Amino acid sequence: MAPNPRKRKVVTRDAPSASESEEELADGLLDGILSHSEGESDVDQEEDAESDTSSVIEGLSDEDEEDAEDEQASSDTDPEDGEAGIREQMRKLKTRDAPTRLNGVDHALELDSRPAENGLEEQEEGRNYTVTTDANGNPRYLYKEIDPVYDSDDSDAEATNTIGNIPLSYYDEYPHIGYDINGKKIMRPAKGEALDALLDQIDIPKGWTGLTDPATGKPLNLSEEELDVLKRLTRNEVVEDGYDPYPDMVYYFSGKQEVMPLSAAPEPKRRFVPSKHEAKRVMKIVKAIREGRIQPYKPPSEEEEEEERVYYDVWADEKPRPENSMHIAAPKLPPPGYDASYHPPKEYLPDKNEEAAWLEADEEDREKDFLPKNYEALRKVPGYERFVKERFERSLDLYLAPRVRRNKLNIDPESLLPKLPNPDDLKPFPTTCAAIFRGQEGRVRSVSFDPNGIFVASGGDDGYVRIWELLTGRQVWNVKLSSEDAVDAVKWMPTKDASVLTAAAGESVYLIVPYSILSPDVEQASRAILDAGWGYAAAKPSTTTNGVTKEPPGKWARPGTKLESKGVLVQATVRSAIKIINWHRKGDYFATVSPRGQSSAVAIHTLSKHLTQLPFRRLKGIAQTAQFHPSKAIFFVATRNTIRSYDLAKQELVKILQPGAKWISSIDVHPGGDNIIVGTYDKRLLWHDLDLSTKPYKTLRFHQEAIRAVRFHQGGLPLFADASDDGSLQIFHGKVVGDLMENATIVPLKVLKGHKVKSRLGVMDVDWHPREPWCVSAGADGTCRLWN
Amino acid sequence: MARIQKKGKAGAAKNYITRTRAVKKLQISLPDFRRLCIFKGIYPREPRKKKTVSKGSTAATTFYYTKDIQYLLHEPLLAKFREHKAVAKKIARALGRGESGDAARLERNLVPKIKLDHIIKERYPTFVDALRDLDDALSMLFLFANLPSSEHVPAKTIALCQKLCHEFEHYVIVSHSLRRSFLSIKGIYYQATIQGQDVLWLVPYRFVQRTGGDIDFRIMGTFVEFYTTLLGFVNYRLYTSVGLVYPPKFNANMDAQGAELSAFQIEGKSVSTNGERLHGEVSAAATSEAQEVADRIANVPDAEEDQPENLPVAQDDEEENTETIDKFEAVAPDADVLPQPEASSAEAASLFAPYTFYLARETPRAPLEFILKAFGCKRVGWDATLGEGAFTTNESDPFITHQIIDRTPLPADAAEAIDGGGAAPRVQWPRSTMPGRIYVQPQWVWDCINQGKLLRPDLYGPGAELPPHLSPWMKPKKGEYDPKLPLHEQELEGEAEAFEEDDESASEMEVTDDVEDARDAMERESSVEAGEGMHVASSDDEEDEDDDGGDQRPAVEDEWEGFDSDAESDISEGEAARLQHQRELEAEATGNPLEPEVETARSKNAVVRKKVEKKRKEQAEERERQKMMLSNKKRKLLKRIEYGSNKRDAEAENLRRKKRRLDRTSSNKGAV
């Protein structure tokens, strides 16, 4: 049996004890209502059972003594109820425990424990369990087997097989064929040879069927009557004997005249006298007919029916109604055009191709639903065979087609197009390749114009730094900086009075004065600038090293006599390979970026002091490039997907730009300082307006491949260029106006193609001439090209 | 706190209802629902958010506006429909029992009569609203008036349609409100302006209509039922507004004899209008003799009155300071056209007023009679075979001023042979003509009314090749081809030259060593040098029409063209002019025709074309550059706009090309 019903039962059986407690409470306090509560029916008490129980439990802690007595009494009242008894026992145990747990009132304990013990003793004889001690010394209750006391007598239930509705064949292998209600096996009756022998001796008993009763496994015997019933059933006869399916009908209401009438009242007079009322009505009709008010029926003629349509002025009191905003009037059909004429101008007639196309097209696809045709005279015009069909289609449209209000575009397309400056106004910009500088082996990685615009320096994979004369395209100077490292960056110092070229190969930056091509005084000035720092460098270490020998971020040294003889005067080495060099406008500082350098990725070098500093202790992300602000003490550092600007004076972060690019390749700051262009490896060129937002102002996607370099023209022309791996440069007009209200104008100007793509690399770098609209590009094909 | 909104309980999901649900809600059958929708003018809607409305299902469904359906719930017609359904059941039962008499009685007495008066008032709260919606009604009713009766279209309906249409036509005649008409291949379009509303309808030519295919006449019948009610009320209102009695008297006998319009007798409400109106009508019934006399009397003062106004196609009204609005015509083609009110009904009433028309038996009588009468003509006669009601059936009636014919004249000798008979009393087209009578083809009438003046009848004479019949509703739009304007005014710069170059190889080489021609080319040459476009200079004169003939000269042209690069031509222009002049002088001295001249004429073509091409290319480049700077959204918008305009341009160019080719062939023919 499931535990649930039992539990529920317990709760309901609680009722009497609860009522007891109620009684108890009433005794103490509510004397007046006692009789009333007693008078209530059991049902009511049961309804209250739960709440009462709870009150009892509450009461336990408060009035322990009384409660204990109450429990005792209740257990006395119904000892025969097993479960209830157990419950009572439990409760008593609990009540006994409660005061001990409370541990507050001593006498309460005494009062409580005593009656409980009494209760136990009293219960000894009637209880259905024995108390032993278990392993822990706690009392353990061993219950007797419960004797279910069934009220109903089920002795008449047959001892049948209890295996349920399963095939008997499951038991074929066993000696038994199932279990009776007591779980005892029902053995298989004798069968087979033993039985055969027996059968030989015995006659077939009466009612033997040869069938086995599946329920008992014994032979099924049928009585004579049962067999008879079966026989009749199979013959579709009435089973019961003597049943007449068609008995004679008994007429309840017969047509026979009874001798004695049910009512003896005489026939009333009105049955014999003609009705006056009827006469009156007839007279009325007669009168109406005589007067002609009623006329004999005549079917109305067709014409009369026709005349039924009566027209009047429906709009006699017309009031304009405001049009429902949701209502859309059916559009009118457009008036016919020239081509619908029976005799149109000849140019409207379709030629053979058009006619064939029209005839071939599906009816839905045709732009016109008719083919223009020419008839010389009106008498030759035939009927239009689709007339009814067109009318029908129109009526279908009227009631079946959803109507939608479509806004017709009535915009002058010219107004949409932006006002672009006249291409002539945008001139000059580079358009053609003017010179090709050949001679490098491998890729050219970097190019740079010298501040005077006479020379171009380039550095490439062959480890050479070369200087070319711009106008002639002649190589005027070169030096091999390194045999294993490529020259990744070359940059001229941006001052005009001195001419210093910086080149990065591997971890080193070389400061070069190519004296062979310089005039003597310039050379002198340049050397002076480079040499100024030596003394400082000698003095410096003693001041900076405070006890601990800390390795300086950069080592400044002389590169060796061989290089020095070529003009390479200073070598500054940092911790990892340098990819980018950018000068401060004054020419005293330059920044190098070595993307692999972790914390030493960005270094700022002071030329006058021969000093290298690492401005960032830790850099978020991998530094890609860094640049100085053209006028303020602001430093831009681009990591893979953000650009941060730092105020160098206050030493704080100013702004974080988020171009939304996946991998920034290069940036350049507009000479005005408020705009930045960003080239990315994901083929985008982004224009940032620093005053506007941290998001790009324009995103330009005109390249098929990654953009390697971007550069503004620094000499006052509103131009910028980008170099891409698809082998092309794109020149843009980018005009920035001082007015804050006006955004920058960006106009694509020219795509310069010429560089060949080698191993998926196209143009590696680009630089502008300091004054002229010329730019020079470094290609992966080993050439530099000058465009003007 | 606001209650949480459940999905599909408000907004679009509630505003729309599918057709199935609508039918269920109204508890009527689908055909009944259709009828109801047609009567009430309720149409499906296209929800803006179809997905929310259809609750995610993507099946194609028809949606109605829920409020429309709710409004249908209160429709009295619904009760009628239900009644009808009940009666239909009864009739079906009677028929099932074989009691056809009962069924007929039930049908006669119990079938509810549906009246649509309240719907007319409801759908068209004002009369002008009704007029606005009259286009479809008239087109449909005129079609049904011309249909043969069949099982779907009972004769009664057709008769009703005819009656209503004729009544309407009578109103248009009386009020002179017909403005334009157009002979299309589909039928005849008419446009009337009634109380400021333009009503355009289409009347089929009188042929048996093809009614096969998937045409559901039940739907059309429902529409006709509604439209007849509408037009009845509109006619009533129109008649009463001009002081006529509605309905006009209908003479069934005359109608049986094909009198059509004349079968109706229009009566004025007051005596004064009555007399005038009756005039035409009574005459129809009177004998032709008496009529003639009467009309002669009536005609004389009429003509006197009208002469100063109407005769003068030639006469100018410059001194006449009329109160009418002057017509403003734009000088430049790209200027905006400001709309001006149409010609007043008084002008329409007087167009044909002084004339007497006679319709030959091959002309369509009904439309001609209608149009002529609507434009003021009071005396329209026709051949007796065309039906009753003519002003005269006598072709030789001397009062006839215009005879409309659609047959070519007989050869001259045959006509003369009969003409030789002298004063034959019967003058019959095409055997003979009546002196002083104008014979025109029917198109003349249409072109006259569309242009609002009498046109030269000789262009429309018997057997003449008619000028093209143009739709009066087409307004010249910028960028579209306009057949009314000469070609050279419309074509783009350099287009003609390009065409000529293209066509050169195709066209035959025509060698003409006329001195005249050479001189022509010379003149052209000089004019080009003076800075004008060659085409403009030449195209005006008849003489110059064969300029391409001149251009066809075989030439050693190709090398010259190749040499003629952009930069080169600019530099050498002055030089070339000087050389040219010298050559001309030499030629004049020797008296020989210039040889290389023609070459230069051709090369000029090439130069013009190249220049234009270059310019166009530049423009296209510039446009591309501008487009690059557009945002994506705007670029798409621009693309959509340009799609339309490009299509229009292509169409116009196609037409111009065809026109140019036609001109070419005709001029070639003329030259030969």
Side-chain angles (χ1 to χ4, degrees), chain A residues 338-355:
Chain A
Y338 294 125
D339 48 0
S341 168
Y342 87 101
H343 182 57
K346 285 213 176 60
E347 54 267 31
Y348 283 95
L349 297 175
D351 56 22
K352 269 179 197 152
N353 294 339
E354 284 168 347
E355 193 173 339

Side-chain angles (χ1 to χ4, degrees), chain B residues 366-409:
Chain B
L368 279 171
E369 183 194 2
F370 171 54
I371 289 182
L372 289 173
K373 285 188 172 168
F375 278 86
C377 180
K378 295 198 178 63
R379 299 166 298 277
V380 186
W382 53 77
D383 197 278
T385 53
L386 290 178
E388 274 282 291
F391 163 72
T392 172
T393 53
N394 180 16
E395 199 180 329
S396 51
D397 191 319
F399 289 99
I400 295 169
T401 55
H402 291 74
Q403 181 163 355
I404 294 168
I405 42 93
D406 202 357
R407 264 192 289 177
T408 45

Side-chain angles (χ1 to χ4, degrees), chain B residues 6-259:
Chain B
K6 269 191 187 171
K7 215 177 173 186
K9 296 283 177 203
K14 273 277 164 206
N15 281 346
Y16 295 96
I17 184 170
T18 63
R19 191 181 63 178
T20 326
R21 278 171 58 208
V23 167
K24 245 182 202 170
K25 189 170 186 181
L26 295 173
Q27 299 183 2
I28 49 173
S29 64
L30 193 57
D32 274 349
F33 177 69
R34 191 174 60 202
R35 285 187 79 195
L36 199 58
C37 285
I38 291 171
F39 287 149
K40 297 283 279 185
I42 280 164
Y43 51 89
R45 312 285 180 131
E46 189 79 5
R48 209 175 291 156
K49 293 178 188 164
K50 209 161 182 187
K51 213 174 159 196
T52 36
V53 174
S54 57
K55 301 195 176 72
S57 111
T58 49
T61 359
T62 317
F63 292 103
Y64 284 87
Y65 197 47
T66 309
K67 280 191 178 163
D68 281 349
I69 302 299
Q70 260 166 357
Y71 156 76
L72 281 186
L73 269 176
H74 309 292
E75 178 54 47
L77 276 185
L78 268 183
K80 292 267 185 186
F81 284 162
R82 293 198 184 108
E83 258 175 59
H84 191 279
K85 198 168 127 193
V87 175
K89 269 185 199 161
K90 284 177 192 165
I91 291 170
R93 194 162 55 221
L95 287 175
R97 285 182 186 142
E99 297 162 348
S100 58
D102 267 9
R105 182 180 53 78
L106 284 170
E107 194 173 6
R108 198 168 52 236
N109 295 338
L110 289 187
V111 169
K113 300 270 186 304
I114 290 179
K115 283 187 100 179
L116 301 174
D117 305 8
H118 65 285
I119 292 181
I120 302 286
K121 175 75 186 172
E122 202 174 74
R123 276 183 71 173
Y124 309 109
T126 61
F127 181 57
V128 173
D129 291 336
L131 286 178
R132 219 173 276 154
D133 223 10
L134 213 55
D135 285 22
D136 287 312
L138 283 172
S139 296
M140 183 70 103
L141 294 182
F142 270 100
L143 168 65
F144 267 70
N146 284 324
L147 278 184
S149 70
S150 65
E151 51 175 336
H152 309 296
V153 193
K156 229 167 36 178
T157 310
I158 292 168
L160 178 65
C161 290
Q162 280 171 344
K163 188 178 144 242
L164 288 169
C165 289
H166 287 314
E167 283 168 3
F168 181 75
E169 282 184 332
H170 266 297
Y171 167 76
V172 172
I173 290 169
V174 165
S175 63
H176 299 293
S177 47
L178 190 67
R179 286 292 166 271
R180 283 172 179 145
S181 182
F182 176 59
L183 293 163
S184 110
I185 54 172
K186 293 184 181 180
I188 303 171
Y189 284 90
Y190 297 98
Q191 189 190 36
T193 305
I194 303 167
Q195 301 195 0
Q197 297 296 323
D198 283 342
V199 184
L200 178 75
W201 71 98
L202 173 62
V203 181
Y205 292 119
R206 291 223 172 152
F207 288 99
V208 176
Q209 299 294 335
R210 205 162 97 172
T211 53
D214 46 353
I215 294 168
D216 190 351
F217 272 95
R218 284 177 304 169
I219 294 171
M220 304 250 284
T222 312
F223 271 102
V224 167
E225 196 177 347
F226 175 72
Y227 287 152
T228 45
T229 318
L230 172 65
L231 190 60
F233 283 115
V234 168
N235 279 348
Y236 182 91
R237 172 89 177 196
L238 290 175
Y239 272 63
T240 45
S241 70
V242 291
L244 299 177
V245 175
Y246 189 83
K249 274 186 187 152
F250 178 62
N251 189 339
N253 285 338
M254 278 183 80
D255 190 54
Q257 285 163 1

Side-chain angles (χ1 to χ4, degrees), chain A residues 658-662 676-680 682-689 694-703 707 720 722 730 732 746 748, chain B residues 628-632 635:
Chain A
Q658 280 160 336
K662 290 199 187 78
I676 295 183
I677 47 171
V678 181
T680 67
D682 43 347
K683 306 167 196 173
R684 277 184 281 187
L685 176 64
L686 309 145
W687 178 290
H688 269 280
D689 195 329
T694 58
K695 298 271 183 298
Y697 159 59
K698 288 276 182 210
T699 303
L700 315 173
R701 304 192 64 154
F702 298 125
H703 278 297
I707 293 172
F720 63 96
D722 63 347
Q730 285 180 350
F732 295 87
I746 305 170
Chain B
M628 254 165 111
M629 294 313 293
L630 283 178
S631 66
N632 227 359
R635 192 175 308 155

Side-chain angles (χ1 to χ4, degrees), chain A residues 704-759:
Chain A
Q704 267 84 47
E705 292 295 332
I707 293 172
R708 293 250 156 210
V710 288
R711 194 76 68 214
F712 273 114
H713 194 281
Q714 301 290 335
L717 291 171
L719 292 173
F720 63 96
D722 63 347
S724 163
D725 272 350
D726 58 9
S728 69
L729 292 122
Q730 285 180 350
I731 311 294
F732 295 87
H733 171 94
K735 187 161 198 173
V736 178
V737 267
D739 187 5
L740 279 177
M741 295 304 290
E742 205 171 328
N743 285 329
T745 332
I746 305 170
V747 186
L749 290 177
K750 197 76 192 170
V751 179
L752 301 176
K753 284 177 188 162
H755 283 291
K756 289 185 191 70
V757 179
K758 277 206 170 170
S759 60

Side-chain angles (χ1 to χ4, degrees), chain A residues 628-650:
Chain A
F628 291 98
H629 191 277
S631 51
K632 291 177 197 158
I634 288 174
F635 189 57
F636 296 97
V637 177
T639 58
R640 271 200 182 175
N641 34 27
T642 56
I643 300 167
R644 287 149 198 270
S645 60
Y646 297 91
D647 192 326
L648 289 177
K650 292 180 191 164

